[in-house]
Amino acid sequence: MGPAEARVRLPQLRLDELLEELQARIDAARGTRDRVHSLLEAVLSVGRELNLEQALRRIVEAAAVLVDAEYAALGVIGPDGKRLSAFHTVGVGADRIALIGPYPEGHGILGELIRHPEPLRLAKLSQHPASYGFPAHHPPMNTFLGVPIRVRDQVFGNLYLTEKRGGLQFDEEDESVLSTLAVAAGVAIDNARLYEESRLRERWLRATAEITHGLMSGAERAEVLGLLAERAREITGAALAAVAMPVEETDSLSVELATGVDAERHRGLVLPFRGSLMGEAYVGATPVTSEDISADPRVSAGPDRFTGLGPAVAVPVGTGVEGVRGVVLLVREAGQTAFSEKETEPLQGFAAQAAVAMELADRRRDAEEIAVLKDRDRIARDLHDLAIQRLFATGMTLQSAGRFIEHQEAAERVVRAVDDLDETIKIIRSTIFGLRSREGGAGSGLRARVVRAVGEAAPVLGFAPSVRMEGLLDTDVPRDIADHVVAVLSEALTNVARHAHAGRADVALETDGREIRLTVTDDGVGLPAGGRRSGLSNLAERAEQLGGALRTRAPEGGGTTLEWRVPVGKRDEG
């Protein structure tokens, strides 16, 4: 090849090199353009989502696509700022997750990013000093890229990416793209939170309006309490809700209503002010929380009723010591998140509004009762001033006229008429007394008397029996039968103290409007062989006199169950 030919080929080789370099830059520009488009699409996709859980899912999916990672995760930092409270993953199947076990709490490299919320890039995870290793069945992971997600200058959580496809390393561009996505994710999470808070506030307002309408329209208190418990349970995602009201003239609460898991085990239970979660909330007039109610020492004696449950909160219905009308207990399933201050605040407001509505309804009923009582007084006054005086005058006239009647039979009829008038006057006087009489004072109801009787027996027994009461005990049970019930209860508990050598006793009192049933169960030595205790004969006689019966039996776990039941007066017609 001559010099001329060489000069021709050298420029051509240079041109080929330039063209190749140009093509590489074009390809790089196209890649950058495509990546920017992907980033913008990811930002738009994440920003459109208003459901928080869905937003978190979209964020972690977009992160995996943008940096071409095989595995991706988003860890949400818990309230303590030290551990992960939630974990969202991409790339690991459900079967593998089940084999690995519980999600990580934030040890090792994950904890490093929590302690130092700055982007972190590693060529090999195991070589970092904070590396904690992987549990069994965990897929192998080497390359790593992590960035924090901030929401209003607070670290919300972290994005974790591992195993860049093709065996490549994560580079500065990957870090930059992921950091940009994290900024957009922070805005999206904040928007989703605000949206959820507004929706939640709307649900609380609707529930408050529903309860107020129910109370002011004359609905029964039990119906309104049921609505209160059900709405609170639905909105907070609780598995169990219970409402307890104070028992008059006693330091205790009675669970009037329960809904959800094992609700029947809670209804009617009587809980002390001191030593119970609900009692603490009532006395302190402030919410009381428990991370695990199944192991909380403030759960008083009674049936095992919190199996499988965990976080709980007891919220007073009303504000201030004088304004608390009861307590709402909400319990979530075990393993769920504890009740936060952000949740208890609107719940407390809801309960306070319900208390105001109850107060207004009570005032309206008081006004109606006063109007009825005034009308009764007017009727009694009219009967006394008009009817009795006229009857009395008529009787005097007949008595005077009787002296002038010579016919013996006619005179006797007049005397009988005068006697009838006297009897009528007595009946009317009794009616007047009934119209003007008032019901017994506070603490005279059967519920309060039973709680006091159990409290008086506790020192003799050496422990406090559990109490459960159901039905309209203060309304459907006549006073004379209520007296018998209290006497039977006291004697039954005395028998337990004297003979049973028991370490536990449970009292249940129920009425359906037709009969009342008192059940006392202990875990003692049981009835003596060959017959009943002589102390039970009096209880049996009381039941028989009232048309009822006494039964005793030995439960499977040992001890004795005494069941005393008598009719309370109401019968089916026909």
Side-chain angles (χ1 to χ4, degrees):
M1 179 179 63
E5 187 178 356
R7 283 196 297 273
V8 171
R9 286 202 171 186
L10 282 173
Q12 185 175 350
L13 288 173
R14 181 63 179 161
L15 180 61
D16 288 343
E17 289 175 2
L18 290 173
L19 287 173
E20 287 176 4
E21 184 179 348
L22 179 60
Q23 184 64 46
R25 293 192 177 189
I26 290 173
D27 291 341
R30 284 175 176 169
T32 302
R33 181 200 63 187
D34 293 342
R35 199 163 197 185
V36 169
H37 285 171
S38 298
L39 177 61
L40 289 174
E41 287 177 3
V43 169
L44 290 173
S45 175
V46 168
R48 281 195 297 264
E49 188 58 64
L50 290 176
N51 179 281
L52 183 58
E53 289 299 312
Q54 291 297 328
L56 297 178
R57 168 60 57 181
R58 284 185 180 274
I59 290 166
V60 72
E61 288 173 350
V65 171
L66 284 173
V67 299
D68 204 20
E70 187 173 352
Y71 305 111
L74 192 158
V76 179
I77 299 175
D80 61 0
K82 299 177 181 179
R83 293 180 297 176
L84 298 176
S85 61
F87 211 71
H88 303 265
T89 63
V90 167
V92 183
D95 294 341
R96 178 65 69 90
I97 291 174
L99 288 172
I100 295 171
Y103 282 116
E105 293 185 355
H107 301 293
I109 297 297
L110 305 189
E112 181 72 15
L113 214 60
I114 295 174
R115 292 186 293 272
H116 306 287
E118 298 293 337
L120 178 64
R121 243 185 320 132
L122 300 173
K124 195 169 183 62
L125 270 168
S126 59
Q127 293 179 353
H128 193 279
S131 180
Y132 198 79
F134 296 108
H137 308 292
H138 197 285
M141 294 181 180
N142 292 297
T143 55
F144 175 86
L145 174 59
V147 297
I149 298 175
R150 287 181 169 82
V151 177
R152 297 192 182 190
D153 296 328
Q154 295 291 324
V155 179
F156 172 83
N158 296 303
L159 277 170
Y160 307 109
L161 287 303
T162 61
E163 292 301 290
K164 188 175 178 69
R165 297 182 189 278
L168 301 176
Q169 297 287 328
F170 293 109
D171 54 24
E172 290 185 9
E173 190 174 328
D174 292 326
E175 183 180 319
S176 177
V177 167
L178 204 58
S179 297
T180 304
L181 178 65
V183 173
V187 175
I189 291 169
D190 192 30
N191 287 339
R193 275 179 165 180
L194 291 173
Y195 179 73
E196 285 194 355
E197 287 175 8
S198 66
R199 290 288 301 274
L200 187 61
R201 193 177 300 113
E202 182 184 350
R203 292 182 70 186
W204 281 123
L205 288 173
R206 280 204 306 267
T208 301
E210 193 175 0
I211 287 173
T212 303
H213 179 267
L215 283 166
M216 301 311 291
S217 61
E220 292 294 330
R221 188 176 75 159
E223 180 183 343
V224 176
L225 290 179
L227 190 62
L228 169 68
E230 192 58 37
R231 292 294 175 268
R233 186 171 74 91
E234 289 173 358
I235 295 173
T236 59
L240 169 72
V243 180
M245 308 298 279
V247 181
E248 58 184 10
E249 292 292 310
T250 68
D251 292 336
S252 60
L253 296 166
S254 175
V255 180
E256 296 201 3
L257 189 139
T259 177
V261 175
D262 291 334
E264 67 281 353
R265 298 188 180 185
H266 297 264
R267 296 189 193 107
L269 278 175
V270 176
L271 307 171
F273 284 171
R274 307 293 177 185
S276 70
L277 198 71
M278 298 180 85
E280 190 175 321
Y282 181 84
V283 173
T286 185
V288 178
T289 59
S290 172
E291 291 189 2
D292 184 6
I293 195 169
S294 63
D296 198 306
R298 292 170 293 184
V299 174
S300 60
D304 185 12
R305 55 194 187 275
F306 291 113
T307 304
L309 300 178
V313 61
V315 179
V317 179
T319 55
V321 178
E322 297 297 326
V324 178
R325 304 176 66 88
V327 180
V328 178
L329 175 70
L330 296 168
V331 190
R332 286 176 173 152
E333 292 180 350
Q336 292 194 354
T337 57
F339 287 90
S340 64
E341 188 176 341
K342 282 188 176 181
E343 288 180 292
T344 56
E345 187 177 338
L347 177 58
Q348 190 175 11
F350 169 65
Q353 289 296 321
V356 171
M358 288 180 188
E359 184 72 21
L360 290 173
D362 286 350
R363 291 292 174 264
R364 190 193 65 181
R365 280 192 291 270
D366 289 345
E368 292 173 352
E369 186 177 345
I370 289 171
V372 170
L373 294 175
K374 284 183 177 179
D375 200 38
R376 286 182 177 180
D377 284 341
R378 180 187 60 78
I379 294 170
R381 191 167 54 251
D382 290 346
L383 286 172
H384 183 272
D385 295 344
L386 300 176
I388 288 183
Q389 297 303 326
R390 289 186 179 182
L391 288 172
F392 186 75
T394 303
M396 292 291 290
T397 302
L398 287 173
Q399 204 170 18
S400 299
R403 295 197 299 267
F404 301 104
I405 300 175
E406 296 179 356
H407 194 282
Q408 182 64 28
E409 187 176 345
E412 290 176 356
R413 288 187 177 183
V414 170
V415 170
R416 284 199 300 272
V418 172
D419 290 342
D420 288 343
L421 286 173
D422 287 340
E423 189 63 31
T424 302
I425 289 171
K426 289 179 182 178
I427 292 171
I428 294 176
R429 287 188 186 279
S430 177
T431 302
I432 292 171
F433 179 78
L435 287 169
R436 288 179 171 172
S437 66
R438 301 290 185 268
E439 293 183 1
S444 63
L446 180 55
R447 284 178 177 269
R449 296 176 67 191
V450 165
V451 172
R452 284 198 295 269
V454 172
E456 290 167 1
V460 180
L461 289 164
F463 57 85
S466 71
V467 184
R468 182 172 59 85
M469 294 187 282
E470 288 191 66
L472 301 175
L473 296 168
D474 294 340
T475 305
D476 288 348
V477 182
R479 179 79 185 193
D480 58 333
I481 294 180
D483 293 340
H484 283 287
V485 170
V486 175
V488 168
L489 174 59
S490 298
E491 191 164 345
L493 291 176
T494 300
N495 287 339
V496 172
R498 287 178 178 173
H499 308 292
H501 305 292
R504 172 183 176 137
D506 300 312
V507 175
L509 186 63
E510 305 160 279
T511 183
D512 58 2
R514 294 178 176 80
E515 71 170 12
I516 186 166
R517 182 171 65 255
L518 171 66
T519 307
V520 179
T521 303
D522 66 68
D523 63 353
V525 297
L527 291 172
R532 299 182 304 177
R533 292 177 183 154
S534 58
L536 298 179
S537 59
N538 183 39
L539 305 185
E541 288 175 7
R542 282 181 183 270
E544 290 165 5
Q545 289 171 4
L546 297 170
L550 171 72
R551 288 198 314 160
T552 58
R553 63 181 185 274
E556 292 182 4
T560 304
T561 295
L562 177 150
E563 185 181 88
W564 189 89
R565 55 202 304 167
V566 297
V568 294
K570 293 186 180 182
R571 295 288 186 274
D572 289 329
E573 295 181 0

